[in-house]
């Protein structure tokens, strides 16, 4: 989700006459600007009986890019044609280029839904239009070889301050915020919506909102929900409005949809055209809220009414005068990929900061956390120049190296962050994952030959829950004839200091006697996974309520009284008598 940014004038519309020609062309193609407001009214949607997949928009009613496509019709390279009456053109426009992995993900999602939901008629160009508006095609295709974003793409905090109020639903696992939700990934799902609509689009067994294949399939599934046929205009509009309840959002998405339907071409990952401000919702992990007097925020967002939808800031200063679009600063991450890099002047202007001559660690270089938790602190470095002075605005890349399940916020293995005014750059929050062991976090200065800084990190095993007491749920005698099984389950409760304890490992062993607790070689037994008799079980744990129900106990052929002993790590011991009687002769 991007910050709100000023809508740019369409190319070629410099005069009233040209603007009129542009509108005529758009009207002829049913492009946004002439869409009936009935389709943007959520009450109308409900009256029509079309069930909304979820009352909460996919993106939580957050901000989005408002750039519009140029008025030159894109086509295949070398065969472009202009819209009637408009000047210029004749060659493919960069805005029609879609990064390779992103384009592949859209087409893969279309193919999957054509097979699983053929009546939906989902065109991949619709996913491309939404991806453009939501994240600038994953920040110009800034994804790794598997389609996962290199840096987290986060929308603004949904704390009710200009946006919807959505309290945390994922414990900060995806968005790093344990108080409120934020939209996440190239298709900008809020965590609560991802929990319902997340999909595995690349077949790796995971559902990751930061992966373009997973996110594209999830978005397509949401758009197709409720029996929608997206070849029907009313259904198409409602599906888009389900993503974000705003007529302006609908118009913007439909503009790109029409543009992409006329032709696109593939560009390398990382070479896509970024929106006007060069960023998308938190592409650097920041989740910026945009510019303008109100920070680019809408009012009472998320209520589902057009008058409460996104409010676009006007491109003007405090006095109402028109303001130009700011020029991206080279090296800030706001440049358009693929565009010529301006050559620096031979002599830097006075006050221009030099690149970092050294990176140094700030704080401890050894980090540790328990499996499944978050590291208490993140790696942090400081960039200084040759004179030892801090360098602001330098780009520092953090990478996780080694066999580990640890990931940065957004479940990514690498992230690039800028240094602040004091020259320091802090890595995103580091999540330990479940795999124990050591790994390395390396910090490098992007574009500079500077020695990297490495941090040693360790993920420790979770502490084993202990119990100081075991007790049966009932005191019923366990008696059965030889050659059979004991009737009814044997259930025990593990407690520690009087409280039922979950996850306590329990060992069950048939023993010879309480005085001589050697493993028995006759009498009752269990069956292992292969159906073979065993008299000791170790892979047992209490459930969430602290209870454990033992597997079926077979009597064996020997008669008499036998003893089953249950033990725990915390020292709890429980002996249970098992009586085997003579089998019925009849």
């Amino acid at each position: 989700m991007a910050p709100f940014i000023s809508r740019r004038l369409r190319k070629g519309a410099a005069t009233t006459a040209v603007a009129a020609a542009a509108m005529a062309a758009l009207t002829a193609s049913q492009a946004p600007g002439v869409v009936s407001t009935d389709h943007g009214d959520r009450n109308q949607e409900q009256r029509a009986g079309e069930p909304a997949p979820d009352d909460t928009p996919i993106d939580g009613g957050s901000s989005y890019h408002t750039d519009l496509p140029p008025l030159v019709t894109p086509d295949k390279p070398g065969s472009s044609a202009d819209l009637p009456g408009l000047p210029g053109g004749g060659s493919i426009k960069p805005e029609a280029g879609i990064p390779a992995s992103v384009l592949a993900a859209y087409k893969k999602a279309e193919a999957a839904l054509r097979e699983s939901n053929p009546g939906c008629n989902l065109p991949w160009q619709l996913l491309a239009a939404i991806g453009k508006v939501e994240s600038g095609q994953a920040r110009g295709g800034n994804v790794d070889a598997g389609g996962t974003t290199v840096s987290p793409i986060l929308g603004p905090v949904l704390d009710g301050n200009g946006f919807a109020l959505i309290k945390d639903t994922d414990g900060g696992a995806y968005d790093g915020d344990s108080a409120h939700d934020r939209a996440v990934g190239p298709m900008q799902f809020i965590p609560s919506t991802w929990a319902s609509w997340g999909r595995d689009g690349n077949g790796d067994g995971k559902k990751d909102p930061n992966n373009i294949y997973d996110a594209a399939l999830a978005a397509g599934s949401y758009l197709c929900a409720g029996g929608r046929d997206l070849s029907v205009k009313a259904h198409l509009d409602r599906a888009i409005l389900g993503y974000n309840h705003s007529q302006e959002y609908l118009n913007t998405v439909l503009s790109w949809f029409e543009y992409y339907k006329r032709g696109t071409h593939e560009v390398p990952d990382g070479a896509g055209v970024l929106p006007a401000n060069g960023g998308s919702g938190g592409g650097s992990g920041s989740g910026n809220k945009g510019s303008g007097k109100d920070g680019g925020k809408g009012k009472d967002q998320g209520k589902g009414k057009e008058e409460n939808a996104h409010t676009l800031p006007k491109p003007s200063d405090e006095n109402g005068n028109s303001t130009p679009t700011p020029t991206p600063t080279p090296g800030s991450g706001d440049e358009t990929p693929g565009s010529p890099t301006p050559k620096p002047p031979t002599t830097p202007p006075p006050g221009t900061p030099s690149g970092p001559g050294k990176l140094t660690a700030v704080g401890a270089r050894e980090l540790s956390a328990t499996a499944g938790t978050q590291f208490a602190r993140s790696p942090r470095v400081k960039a200084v120049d040759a004179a030892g002075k801090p360098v602001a605005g330098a780009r520092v890349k953090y990478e996780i190296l080694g066999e580990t399940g640890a990931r940065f916020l957004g479940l990514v293995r690498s992230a690039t962050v800028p240094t602040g005014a004091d020259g320091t750059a802090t890595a995103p929050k580091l999540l330990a994952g479940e795999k124990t062991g050591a790994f390395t976090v390396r910090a490098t200065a992007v574009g500079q030959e500077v020695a990297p800084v490495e941090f040693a990190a360790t993920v420790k095993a979770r502490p084993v829950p202990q119990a100081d007491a075991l007790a049966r749920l009932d005191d019923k005698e366990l008696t059965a004839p030889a050659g059979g099984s004991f009737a009814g389950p044997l259930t025990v409760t593990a407690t520690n200091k009087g409280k039922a304890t979950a996850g306590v490992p329990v060992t069950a062993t048939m023993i010879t006697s309480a005085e001589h607790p050697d493993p028995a070689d006759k009498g009752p037994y269990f069956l292992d996974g292969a159906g073979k008799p065993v008299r000791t079980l170790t892979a047992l744990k209490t459930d969430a309520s602290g209870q454990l129900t033992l597997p079926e106990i077979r009597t064996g052929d020997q008669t008499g009284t036998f003893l089953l002993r249950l033990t725990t790590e915390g020292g709890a011991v429980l002996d249970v008598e098992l009586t085997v009687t003579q089998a019925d002769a009849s």
Side-chain angles (χ1 to χ4, degrees):
M1 200 74 43
F4 273 104
I5 45 184
S6 304
R7 184 181 298 281
R8 297 178 295 171
L9 290 176
R10 292 190 169 204
K11 295 180 181 179
T15 66
T16 303
V18 173
M23 183 54 68
L26 286 172
T27 304
S29 64
Q30 295 185 334
V34 293
V35 179
S36 167
T37 55
D38 282 348
H39 300 313
D41 177 50
R42 194 154 179 80
N43 293 328
Q44 174 70 18
E45 176 181 349
Q46 293 167 347
R47 286 195 299 271
E50 178 70 16
D54 193 333
D55 287 338
T56 303
I58 273 197
D59 62 15
S62 191
S63 53
Y64 57 89
H65 289 295
T66 59
D67 289 29
L68 292 177
L71 281 177
V72 176
T73 305
D75 209 331
K76 295 181 181 180
S79 60
S80 177
D82 299 338
L83 287 175
L86 295 178
S91 62
I92 192 67
K93 295 298 177 182
E95 291 87 348
I98 299 178
S101 293
V102 178
L103 181 60
Y106 296 151
K107 292 184 176 181
K108 185 177 177 68
E110 179 196 57
L113 286 163
R114 185 188 306 123
E115 188 170 326
S116 64
N117 190 354
C120 173
N121 295 305
L122 171 76
W124 65 262
Q125 291 91 340
L126 177 59
L127 295 175
I130 291 174
K132 177 71 174 180
V133 172
E134 292 290 344
S135 70
Q137 309 297 19
R139 282 191 56 79
N142 188 25
V143 298
D144 63 19
T148 301
T149 57
V150 174
S151 299
I153 300 179
L154 300 175
V157 177
L158 299 175
D159 57 4
N161 183 21
F163 297 102
L165 173 60
I166 303 179
K167 294 189 176 180
D168 175 67
T169 60
D170 67 332
Y174 288 120
D175 54 18
D177 192 324
S178 58
H180 299 91
D181 272 348
R182 301 173 70 174
V184 178
M187 300 303 281
Q188 291 288 274
F189 278 83
I190 53 174
S192 57
T193 308
W194 183 258
S196 300
W197 293 95
R199 298 290 186 270
D200 177 14
N202 59 358
D204 64 355
K206 297 182 293 185
K207 300 175 183 179
D208 182 3
N210 300 285
N211 182 276
I212 185 59
Y213 291 95
D214 293 358
L217 182 58
S221 300
Y222 182 93
L223 294 168
C224 288
R228 291 193 182 106
D229 178 357
L230 299 180
S231 65
V232 177
K233 186 64 166 62
H235 289 200
L236 174 66
D237 289 354
R238 290 171 188 151
I240 297 171
L241 288 169
Y243 219 106
N244 189 304
H245 301 162
S246 165
Q247 181 70 30
E248 196 65 50
Y249 179 87
L250 172 67
N251 290 354
T252 306
V253 169
L254 287 175
S255 289
W256 285 105
F257 181 40
E258 291 297 327
Y259 184 75
Y260 287 142
K261 282 199 301 183
R262 296 186 189 119
T264 61
H265 63 281
E266 179 184 301
V267 298
D269 288 345
V273 174
L274 292 178
N277 70 339
S280 69
S284 62
S286 61
N288 299 332
K289 290 189 177 183
S291 57
K293 298 177 187 178
D294 61 357
K297 297 178 283 189
K299 298 178 180 180
D300 302 320
Q301 185 57 38
K303 295 185 178 179
K305 295 182 180 180
E306 185 60 27
E307 61 270 21
N308 289 328
H310 292 286
T311 302
L312 297 175
K314 296 180 179 180
S316 60
D317 58 23
E318 294 184 359
N319 298 318
N321 299 318
S322 176
T323 57
T325 301
T327 302
T329 301
S332 67
D334 289 342
E335 308 95 308
T336 299
S339 61
T341 303
K343 296 182 179 180
T346 305
T347 304
T352 299
S354 60
K358 184 179 181 181
L359 290 181
T360 58
V362 178
R365 294 177 65 170
E366 295 184 357
L367 314 170
S368 66
T370 301
T373 66
Q374 180 176 293
F375 282 78
R377 59 178 296 271
S378 296
R380 190 181 185 194
V381 298
K382 184 173 183 178
V384 296
D385 60 18
K389 295 182 180 179
V391 177
R395 299 172 66 202
V396 176
K397 182 177 182 180
Y398 286 97
E399 298 175 274
I400 296 174
L401 308 176
E403 294 295 325
T404 178
R407 296 292 185 270
F408 290 122
L409 171 67
L411 303 183
V412 296
R413 291 187 70 106
S414 65
T416 301
V417 295
T419 57
D422 61 351
T424 62
T426 303
K429 292 179 181 179
L430 188 58
L431 309 178
E434 295 296 338
K435 183 179 177 65
T436 59
F439 64 97
T440 300
V441 178
R442 177 181 294 167
T444 56
V446 178
Q448 301 289 328
E449 293 186 5
V450 176
V453 174
E454 293 189 347
F455 297 81
T458 304
V459 178
K460 306 176 192 175
R462 298 173 187 265
V464 177
Q466 299 188 353
D468 54 23
L470 284 169
R472 289 181 60 186
L473 287 190
D474 60 56
D475 56 0
K476 180 181 177 181
E477 291 185 1
L478 296 175
T479 303
S485 301
F486 290 92
L490 172 56
T491 302
V492 299
T493 300
T495 57
N496 193 42
K497 297 180 180 179
K499 293 184 178 180
T501 308
V504 176
V506 179
T507 298
T509 306
M510 302 295 178
I511 60 175
T512 54
S513 69
E515 296 77 16
H516 302 285
D518 298 321
D521 58 2
K522 61 182 179 179
Y525 60 88
F526 302 103
L527 292 178
D528 65 11
K532 296 180 179 180
V534 292
R535 291 186 170 87
T536 299
L537 293 177
T538 57
L540 303 172
K541 282 187 179 181
T542 58
D543 62 17
S545 62
Q547 295 183 356
L548 168 66
T549 299
L550 271 69
E552 179 186 33
I553 304 173
R554 300 293 182 94
T555 61
D557 297 327
Q558 301 286 328
T559 61
T561 300
F562 302 89
L563 209 57
L564 168 63
R565 173 163 288 184
L566 305 175
T567 59
T568 71
E569 278 288 327
V573 178
L574 174 66
D575 289 341
V576 180
E577 283 191 354
L578 305 171
T579 302
V580 181
T581 61
Q582 200 74 292
D584 189 351
S586 61

